């Protein structure tokens, strides 16, 4: 039985509909990441789970109990805020104890035991007597997480907890959060706008745009089989290349025709329906290879390099193909200059087609749709 | 881009523009202060037309006068009553205003308008509302409690009534600052407490009060000054210091000595003492609060 159930959940602020009907089931012990661009309704959704925001419409169930009108404190959830929300006049220990003491359900021994345990797990025993003002950002975040831990809640809710940290610390804390979750196995809903964070942390990732769920899937599936153009472009960095093509049948073979190239499409589900339509052809920069790395008989296309960006571990090239721009990732030390014409080939197992409304109609490898959900249409 | 322009060609122009301010300050603040100090060393007759230098004699007379001593004690008690009363009530009202989510501004206006009323008007209005025989409030209070509330003859009652009026008048000022301070507290702190199930009262004294303590210290100082200096019209209009000196605050006694009994020298000495008292009080309040107050959330 799923632990948290969102059933057509909606939130309106006056005329603004911030969340437009979300259906989602979160399993017990799962780490679910809600990801999407700024303003898409992630925080609002999370705050509805916490009870900090009223639900305008729809139903929310936690542990099979309808909690729409239930007060936050009775939902047995703990939340970690982006700005930590620590009480500035209390020490770390007092911050972590305050909620438990106020609730009055716990004995002093129990409180101390939980405090020590949380401090050990987070490796912060030596910080317990300091006030937030005397802690670094990362340390504050640990204390904030500690405050959620001591509650031993049924559900953890985290709203962009790492976004105030510098890049290096963020990576480190990310790993620690993963470790923590493996240890505690508490159901967790984690909000972020950072797709890398989403991919690395989530058991499953829910992509949100404009208040609507776009796709919920495991990270690799999201990357390999995006359900629509939005997910295709949002997940993965740099974003997937999308160029308009005509899908035509030519002597038993279906091809995607573009001014600058023509690619044969391996037979897979959905291909027949696409024939005769114009569509968007999608390929990720890392799935385009220089001709030199391909077998001699592989089909190649000529493209013109306009800008090169050395990223260190690879060379990112912005190229022109038949009037459209595509990005290509090549080996870091490839001797390529802007203005060069180069031969590239597309990995034929990683081709995608999206129809005019933006939905994916075809992936050149068959998806294993065990968790993938159909995209929402308005 | 805006270019940096020198505001004045020379410093004398700047000084020239400051002259009016300085003139006002000197004419109405520094000169009277110095003159008051000088006067406190004289014995005066007939509104100061005749005076004789007596040194510290005025201060000596005051120190040994039982009437002055009584007024001294009453003023301190009155200030304590007003400062504590104002802070407690305004904190309570502000917290309610802070928590309410609908019609906030109308409540706010309702809560602070007494502050906009001239003190004399406020005193007169409340005097009639609480009049021992005519007052609406007194009528119902007496009907409810069965106690006779004749504060025209009872000293302690008069003290409380004037104190309540002083508190009522000062609430608005305090509420403005407290509501602003409460609204400055990050909302996530409140939300975090909601998730933990912290009670509202506990939240108030464990979190909000510590966080707004700098504002509260400021208000303690301002309310102290108010209680000592600005309560004159209420005493004057409502009790004239009576009954039998029960509301004879230092500021009122000072006025009577100066303008009813024509002892300008003595009154000057009293105002010097009052000034020193309040200065010392402020210093103590600020020093004490320094160790408790949480600055910089
Ligand atoms: N209290 C509110 N009143 C009115 N509109 C609101 C309120 N809170 C949020 N919104 C609107 O709802 C939409 C979703 O906001 P939300 O905070 O959930 O976005 P988000 O996905 O968390 O974005 P971010 O990544 O920037 O935090 C936004 O358009 C926002 O302007
Ligand atoms: Mg947000």
């Amino acid at each position: 039985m799923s632990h948290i159930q969102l059933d057509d959940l909606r939130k309106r602020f006056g005329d603004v509909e911030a969340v437009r009907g979300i259906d989602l089931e979160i399993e017990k012990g799962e780490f679910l990441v809600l990801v999407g661009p700024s303003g898409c309704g992630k925080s609002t959704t999370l705050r509805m789970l916490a009870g900090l925001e009223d639900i305008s419409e729809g139903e929310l169930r936690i542990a099979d109990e309808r909690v729409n009108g239930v007060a936050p404190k009775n939902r047995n959830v703990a939340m970690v805020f982006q700005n930590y929300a620590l009480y500035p006049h209390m020490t770390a220990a007092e911050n972590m104890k305050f909620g438990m003491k106020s609730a009055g359900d716990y004995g002093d021994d129990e409180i101390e035991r939980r405090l020590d345990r949380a401090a050990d797990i987070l490796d912060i025993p030596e910080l317990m007597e300091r006030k937030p003002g005397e802690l670094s950002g990362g340390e504050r975040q640990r204390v904030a997480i500690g405050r959620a831990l001591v509650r031993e809640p049924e559900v953890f809710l985290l709203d962009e907890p790492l976004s105030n940290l510098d890049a290096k610390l963020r990576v480190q804390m990310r790993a620690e959060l993963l470790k923590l979750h493996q240890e505690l196995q508490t159901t967790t809903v984690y909000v972020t706008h950072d797709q890398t964070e989403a991919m690395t942390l989530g058991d499953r990732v829910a992509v949100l745009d404009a208040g609507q769920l776009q796709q919920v899937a495991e990270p690799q599936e999201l990357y390999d089989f995006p359900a629509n153009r939005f997910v295709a472009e949002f997940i993965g960095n740099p974003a997937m290349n999308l160029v308009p093509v005509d899908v035509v049948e030519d002597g038993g073979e279906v091809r995607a025709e573009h001014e600058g190239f023509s690619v044969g499409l391996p037979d897979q589900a959905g291909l027949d329906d696409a024939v005769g339509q114009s569509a968007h052809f999608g390929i990720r920069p890392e799935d385009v290879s220089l001709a030199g790395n391909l077998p001699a008989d592989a089909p190649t296309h000529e493209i013109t390099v306009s800008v090169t960006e050395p990223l260190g571990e690879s060379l990112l090239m912005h190229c022109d193909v038949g009037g459209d721009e595509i990005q290509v990732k090549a080996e870091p030390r490839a001797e390529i200059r802007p203005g060069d014409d180069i031969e590239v080939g597309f990995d034929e197992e990683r081709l995608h087609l999206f129809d005019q409304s933006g939905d994916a109609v075809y992936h050149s490898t068959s998806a294993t749709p065990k968790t993938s959900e159909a995209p929402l249409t308005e | 881009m805006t270019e940096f322009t020198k505001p004045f060609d020379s410093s004398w122009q700047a000084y020239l523009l400051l002259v009016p301010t300085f003139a006002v300050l000197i004419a109405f603040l520094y000169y009277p202060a110095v003159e008051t100090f000088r006067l406190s060393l004289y014995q005066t007759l007939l509104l100061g037309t005749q005076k004789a230098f007596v040194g510290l004699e005025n201060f000596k007379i005051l120190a040994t006068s039982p009437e002055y001593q009584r007024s001294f004690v009453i003023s301190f008690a009155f200030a304590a009553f007003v400062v504590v009363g104002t802070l407690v009530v305004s904190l309570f009202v502000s917290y309610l205003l802070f928590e309410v989510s609908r019609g906030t501004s109308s409540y706010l206006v309702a809560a602070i308008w007494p502050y906009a009323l001239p003190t004399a008007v406020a005193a007169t209005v409340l005097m009639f509302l609480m009049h021992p025989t005519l007052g609406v409030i007194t009528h119902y209070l007496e009907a409810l409690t069965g106690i006779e509330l004749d504060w025209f003859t009872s000293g302690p009652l008069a003290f409380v009534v004037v104190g309540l009026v002083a508190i009522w008048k000062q609430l608005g000022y305090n509420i403005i600052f407290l509501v602003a301070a409460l609204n400055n507290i990050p909302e996530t702190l409140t939300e975090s407490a909601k998730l933990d199930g912290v009670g509202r009262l506990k939240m108030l004294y464990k979190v909000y009060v510590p966080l707004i303590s700098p504002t509260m210290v400021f208000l303690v100082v301002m309310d102290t000054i108010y209680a000592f200096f600005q309560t004159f019209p209420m005493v004057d209009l409502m009790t004239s210091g009576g009954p039998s000196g029960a509301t004879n605050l230092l500021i009122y006694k000072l006025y009577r000595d100066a303008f009813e009994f024509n002892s300008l020298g003595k009154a000057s000495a009293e105002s010097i003492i009052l000034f020193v008292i309040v200065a010392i009080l402020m210093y103590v309040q600020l020093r004490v609060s320094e160790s408790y107050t949480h600055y910089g959330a």
Side-chain angles (χ1 to χ4, degrees), chain A residues 56-232:
Chain A
S56 305
E57 229 177 272
E59 195 174 67
L60 174 66
R61 298 173 153 271
I62 298 180
D64 274 330
E65 205 175 310
R66 186 185 148 100
V67 293
N68 279 43
V70 175
K73 65 175 169 150
N74 297 330
R75 295 189 184 193
N76 202 6
V77 299
M79 186 154 166
V80 177
F81 296 85
Q82 179 176 355
N83 66 0
Y84 320 127
L86 295 174
Y87 305 112
H89 59 295
M90 297 183 191
T91 63
E94 285 165 349
N95 259 292
M96 288 164 67
K97 283 191 281 193
F98 184 61
M100 277 195 293
K101 277 193 166 169
S102 309
D105 302 339
Y106 310 96
D108 283 352
D109 290 348
E110 176 69 5
I111 292 178
E112 288 304 324
R113 188 188 66 74
R114 289 188 180 195
L115 191 66
D116 289 344
R117 173 147 182 271
D120 279 342
I121 291 176
L122 294 165
D123 198 20
I124 49 171
E126 71 285 358
L127 304 179
M128 298 309 279
E129 293 317 313
R130 292 208 218 155
K131 291 188 177 172
E134 300 154 357
L135 298 172
S136 73
E139 290 166 345
R140 272 180 229 179
Q141 193 52 277
R142 266 169 231 249
V143 175
I145 292 170
R147 187 171 61 178
L149 278 187
V150 294
R151 298 263 322 278
E152 297 184 1
E154 261 192 75
V155 180
F156 275 126
L157 304 173
L158 299 100
D159 193 352
E160 311 212 17
L162 307 185
S163 58
N164 282 355
L165 306 179
D166 67 48
K168 201 168 163 196
L169 197 54
R170 201 148 57 209
V171 173
Q172 187 192 333
M173 286 295 288
R174 209 160 72 193
E176 288 185 23
L177 279 176
L178 264 182
K179 216 175 79 199
L180 197 64
H181 181 251
Q182 271 158 15
E183 218 171 292
L184 301 175
Q185 293 293 331
T186 309
T187 311
T188 304
V189 183
Y190 184 105
V191 160
T192 178
H193 62 259
D194 178 351
Q195 57 99 19
T196 317
E197 223 168 271
M199 298 288 277
T200 48
L201 281 172
D203 291 331
R204 280 191 309 157
V205 177
V207 184
L208 216 59
D209 184 39
Q212 288 183 313
L213 212 49
Q214 304 297 317
Q215 189 174 6
V216 189
E218 285 169 19
Q220 194 61 48
E221 191 182 332
L222 217 52
Y223 177 88
D224 288 340
F225 307 107
N228 57 33
R229 280 184 63 177
F230 178 81
V231 177

Side-chain angles (χ1 to χ4, degrees), chain A residues 47 50 52 72-73 77 79 81 83 85-90 98-99 101-103 147 151, chain B residues 186-189 191-199 202-203 206-207 210-211 294 296-297:
Chain A
R47 290 165 57 80
L52 296 172
K73 65 175 169 150
V77 299
M79 186 154 166
F81 296 85
N83 66 0
L86 295 174
Y87 305 112
H89 59 295
M90 297 183 191
F98 184 61
K101 277 193 166 169
S102 309
R147 187 171 61 178
R151 298 263 322 278
Chain B
E187 203 173 335
T188 44
L189 291 190
E191 293 178 341
S192 165
K194 266 193 204 161
L195 285 164
D196 284 345
V198 182
K202 178 140 198 182
M203 194 63 192
K206 282 277 196 187
V207 176
L211 290 184
H294 172 83

